[in-house]
Amino acid sequence: GDDDAGDGDLRRSLLHMTYGLGQERIPPFLTKLYQMVSAKDTNDCIRWSVGGQAFTIVNTDKFAQVLPAYFKHNNVRSFVRQLNTYGFRKLTN
């Protein structure tokens, strides 16, 4: 349905950023982020939003425990700073 199209668009945009001399290269941070958000076993702490146009950290403590499986640290603040360098912004209701 329509939700699937938006979901795919966001995921494609996450993974198809162009870097360098016109060659598509996916930065490791974005690859790991996509894997982490998409993994079923992390849904209790981070998951895609219903429409797939964002992701939500639903349990910060559990998320900090999951981070080292994908990154070299468990620092949520550092992770958020990294998100910001890639243009991610916090959404408010």
Side-chain angles (χ1 to χ4, degrees), residues 2-12 48-49 51-53:
D2 292 331
D3 287 345
D4 294 338
D7 192 29
D9 290 345
L10 173 68
R11 292 178 189 192
R12 274 190 293 282
W48 291 108
S49 66
Q53 296 189 358

Side-chain angles (χ1 to χ4, degrees), residues 59-74:
N59 185 318
T60 307
D61 293 335
K62 282 187 180 182
F63 181 68
Q65 295 171 4
V66 167
L67 271 174
Y70 295 88
F71 301 98
K72 295 177 182 173
H73 62 82
N74 67 347

Side-chain angles (χ1 to χ4, degrees), residues 6-75:
D7 192 29
D9 290 345
L10 173 68
R11 292 178 189 192
R12 274 190 293 282
S13 67
L14 269 177
L15 294 177
H16 292 96
M17 298 179 76
T18 303
Y19 290 85
L21 303 171
Q23 297 176 350
E24 282 191 8
R25 292 191 206 152
I26 302 167
F29 176 81
L30 294 180
T31 301
K32 292 175 184 179
L33 171 62
Y34 177 82
Q35 291 169 346
M36 182 173 53
V37 176
S38 298
K40 298 283 186 229
D41 63 340
T42 63
N43 282 346
D44 59 343
C45 62
I46 186 170
R47 61 179 167 242
W48 291 108
S49 66
V50 173
Q53 296 189 358
F55 61 85
T56 304
I57 297 173
V58 292
N59 185 318
T60 307
D61 293 335
K62 282 187 180 182
F63 181 68
Q65 295 171 4
V66 167
L67 271 174
Y70 295 88
F71 301 98
K72 295 177 182 173
H73 62 82
N74 67 347
N75 188 324

